[in-house]
Amino acid sequence: MTKPNIPKGTRDFGPLEMARRNYIFSTIRNVFARYGFQQIETPSMELMSTLMGKYGEEGDKLLFRIQNSGEKANEAPEKGLRYDLTVPFARYIVQHRDELQFPFRRFQIQPVWRADRPQKGRYREFYQCDVDVIGTDSLVSELELIQIVEDVYQALGIRVCLHLNNRKILAGIAEVIGAPDKIIDITTAIDKLDKIGLENVNKELSERGLADDSIAKLQPILALQGSNEEKLDAIAEVLAGNETGTKGVEEMTQIIDLMKCQLSTINYQLDLTLARGLNYYTGTIFEVKALDVQIGSITGGGRYDNLTGIFGLPNVSGVGISFGADRIYDVLTELNLYPASMMNATQVLFATFGDAELRYALKWAKQLRKENIRVEVYPEPAKMKKQMSYADSKAIPLVAIVGGNEMESDTVMLKNMTTGEQSQVTIEQLINKIKKV
RNA sequence: GUGGUCAUAGCUCAGUUGGCAGAGCAUCGGAUUGUGGUUCCGAGUGUCGUGGGUUCGAGCCCCACUCUCCACCCCA
């Protein structure tokens, strides 16, 4: 017998983990619903032609390919597992555009797969919770997503910092320092600023072929300090006269203004080092980091002006963010922030002494369930010790013991497992006691 | 994809220069036939990740593979 196993980077979820995960998903779902977003799902697998070339060279390598069956088994795979929820969503919009009312507000909570090498907070199968608004340029959409971030993390009790940037500002910087074609190199290098330090960033920029005087011009921008307003003023000055960059500053200013109008209390920070790898972002970029756990970003997203263009529907602007459920799980676990009620645990267990008692208990259980009480009946009249141990190990707070005496008087012996107290009660009394506990 | 690291009972882990495969927890039974969580007694459990090699003899040494975790790349 070889030991059973699961593929690298995948996980089983037991009852406790599922209760926790469902708590996260339902919290997120409830917030999304409050903003009028509607849920969709797309297939786990997409055609390779849909997936290829959408995530850059690196992304193509990380796609899981599905081998063809039958006669085509040896030909190139025509299907692959989805890598994220955004590209399948873009395909969905193009395919169903005639059925949709724009601006279209959708959310989607499904697993995605990446053939990455696993490590902490990084899996080959993980869930994303995407929420997007498609078909409007309005920055109110950005504001709403920021409000959603605020609501979700407030509900979960996680302290976070929202990092904000704008791709147009980054493009403007690249133009101003005289290296407009190097925007990707510049952003991926300065993204690492707080990780590897200024000196190494400059070294990397040089290695990526950036001219020395361009690097020199970049220094004041990398060194920006102060409040969000001060930083924004400073960058506006640097970018004055540059059309793209100024547009980005205007967008950022407007978003901050809208946040004030909604009395947003979220902790946010203008972060020019925030780049985000995906190259389809064109405007605002978001990233959320947990303040009390070091795990990378737990939510990320941004605006993309022409995502559906690659599928033949140009000029449709959208903005969206993705909550990383698996990382949020790790954060909540590390900070021990799950509410006790999340388990939906059994409220009362029936323990019986014989077959007649078992049947009696089943009748009672049915009535309690009608009252929306979570009930278990121990399925056989085993030794009382065994039935009690079962209740104890599952932390069931109440045990209703049924023997001959109880049946005769139409009662059960109700034991409170935390205090050890017990008393003989009728069904009405039982229902009242359970609702009190 | 590059570099490192780990794997022994259901779980967490000991295991000496290479010489009989171990402990705690959990499980099951009993002390206690109508009462759990505390206590005491007893019991079972292993292709030592997989395959090969060295050796009289390998959990231990060598090689390959798989898996875990970590760093890089990239990312949620």
Side-chain angles (χ1 to χ4, degrees):
Chain A
M1 254 302 264
T2 54
K3 276 192 183 174
N5 210 347
I6 54 176
K8 190 203 287 209
T10 65
R11 296 150 299 158
D12 284 326
F13 302 117
L16 176 66
E17 289 157 305
M18 274 318 293
R20 290 173 167 178
R21 293 173 66 83
N22 284 333
Y23 163 70
I24 294 168
F25 290 136
S26 63
T27 302
I28 290 174
R29 226 190 324 261
N30 284 339
V31 173
F32 289 173
R34 286 211 294 268
Y35 288 79
F37 287 87
Q38 294 180 303
Q39 186 164 20
I40 69 160
E41 291 203 357
T42 62
S44 304
M45 58 184 109
E46 292 277 350
L47 296 175
M48 285 309 287
S49 55
T50 302
L51 298 170
M52 288 295 284
K54 309 301 190 297
Y55 309 105
E57 207 179 312
E58 203 65 35
D60 284 352
K61 275 193 250 168
L62 298 180
L63 286 171
F64 272 106
R65 291 135 210 271
I66 298 174
Q67 191 178 6
N68 296 324
S69 351
E71 285 177 11
K72 291 185 180 175
N74 294 321
E75 294 177 18
E78 52 194 27
K79 299 177 288 293
L81 294 174
R82 75 166 99 75
Y83 178 91
D84 72 356
L85 301 179
T86 307
V87 166
F89 177 47
R91 180 207 38 84
Y92 175 90
I93 292 165
V94 175
Q95 236 178 300
H96 298 273
R97 59 185 125 171
D98 57 319
E99 307 157 28
L100 302 177
Q101 177 68 48
F102 292 97
F104 181 51
R105 303 154 77 77
R106 87 87 170 76
F107 75 91
Q108 188 169 355
I109 299 177
Q110 288 190 275
V112 303
W113 293 269
R114 295 182 189 178
D116 211 350
R117 195 177 290 204
Q119 52 180 279
K120 186 180 175 67
R122 181 178 247 192
Y123 308 97
R124 289 186 147 183
E125 177 184 63
F126 61 96
Y127 275 72
Q128 288 189 332
C129 311
D130 270 33
V131 56
D132 291 77
V133 185
I134 290 288
T136 170
D137 292 328
S138 169
L139 296 174
V140 169
S141 303
E142 269 88 338
L143 171 72
E144 285 189 326
L145 296 181
I146 290 169
Q147 290 303 306
I148 284 174
V149 167
E150 181 174 341
D151 289 358
V152 165
Y153 288 111
Q154 194 164 46
L156 293 174
I158 299 175
R159 301 197 313 133
V160 296
C161 180
L162 171 71
H163 294 247
L164 278 178
N165 197 4
N166 192 299
R167 210 57 192 243
K168 294 190 181 86
I169 292 179
L170 292 173
I173 291 171
E175 286 169 20
V176 164
I177 67 169
D181 54 321
K182 288 274 190 265
I183 176 167
I184 305 259
D185 291 303
I186 294 169
T187 52
T188 50
I190 67 178
D191 187 32
K192 298 175 193 163
L193 186 60
D194 48 341
K195 206 168 177 180
I196 63 175
L198 183 62
E199 205 169 308
N200 290 319
V201 168
N202 288 335
K203 204 171 124 196
E204 184 159 339
L205 286 169
S206 174
E207 279 164 10
R208 285 171 181 268
L210 203 67
D212 285 349
D213 65 317
S214 294
I215 295 176
K217 281 185 195 161
L218 195 59
Q219 298 311 303
I221 295 163
L222 293 179
L224 276 185
Q225 292 289 330
S227 71
N228 290 317
E229 284 78 6
E230 286 165 1
K231 279 197 258 181
L232 195 56
D233 286 346
I235 195 73
E237 209 164 306
V238 173
L239 293 175
N242 178 278
E243 196 185 335
T244 314
T246 303
K247 184 90 195 347
V249 171
E250 273 168 21
E251 288 180 9
M252 185 73 81
T253 310
Q254 240 190 85
I255 289 170
I256 291 172
D257 192 54
L258 285 169
M259 285 167 73
K260 281 182 190 148
C261 140
Q262 274 244 317
L263 304 175
S264 175
T265 56
I266 193 165
N267 174 24
Y268 76 96
Q269 154 182 347
L270 184 59
D271 182 358
L272 292 175
T273 68
L274 170 61
R276 294 198 56 80
L278 297 174
N279 30 28
Y280 48 67
Y281 293 119
T282 51
T284 309
I285 317 170
F286 316 96
E287 200 159 284
V288 178
K289 286 183 177 154
L291 289 179
D292 303 308
V293 177
Q294 197 148 22
I295 195 168
S297 82
I298 52 180
T299 293
R303 175 167 292 270
Y304 36 87
D305 279 337
N306 198 21
L307 186 68
T308 56
I310 42 178
F311 297 118
L313 182 64
N315 303 322
V316 177
S317 183
V319 57
I321 52 171
S322 179
F323 288 82
D326 299 83
R327 286 191 178 174
I328 292 171
Y329 178 97
D330 289 343
V331 170
L332 289 173
T333 304
E334 195 162 329
L335 300 177
N336 202 13
L337 288 175
Y338 293 101
S341 57
M342 141 219 104
M343 271 308 273
N344 276 330
T346 301
Q347 293 166 285
V348 61
L349 172 81
F350 281 87
T352 59
F353 283 107
D355 286 327
E357 287 91 338
L358 185 53
R359 284 156 192 277
Y360 177 93
L362 287 170
K363 271 190 236 164
W364 277 55
K366 174 152 189 174
Q367 290 202 54
L368 294 183
R369 286 173 180 143
K370 270 191 197 155
E371 298 289 325
N372 224 358
I373 292 165
R374 298 184 295 273
V375 184
E376 276 187 75
V377 178
Y378 200 89
E380 48 195 290
K383 284 187 179 159
M384 194 44 56
K385 179 188 168 94
K386 190 165 183 175
Q387 301 187 60
M388 297 297 283
S389 302
Y390 177 81
D392 190 59
S393 66
K394 280 191 73 176
I396 298 172
L398 296 169
V399 176
I401 299 160
V402 186
N405 300 337
E406 286 79 13
M407 286 204 292
E408 269 171 40
S409 57
D410 220 14
T411 58
V412 295
M413 182 63 77
L414 184 67
K415 172 155 182 163
N416 182 317
M417 295 296 277
T418 27
T419 63
E421 291 169 72
Q422 60 182 52
S423 58
Q424 211 164 332
V425 298
T426 64
I427 194 151
E428 289 80 16
Q429 291 170 321
L430 177 58
I431 291 168
N432 280 332
K433 289 215 174 198
I434 292 169
K435 293 196 166 165
K436 254 189 260 168
V437 166

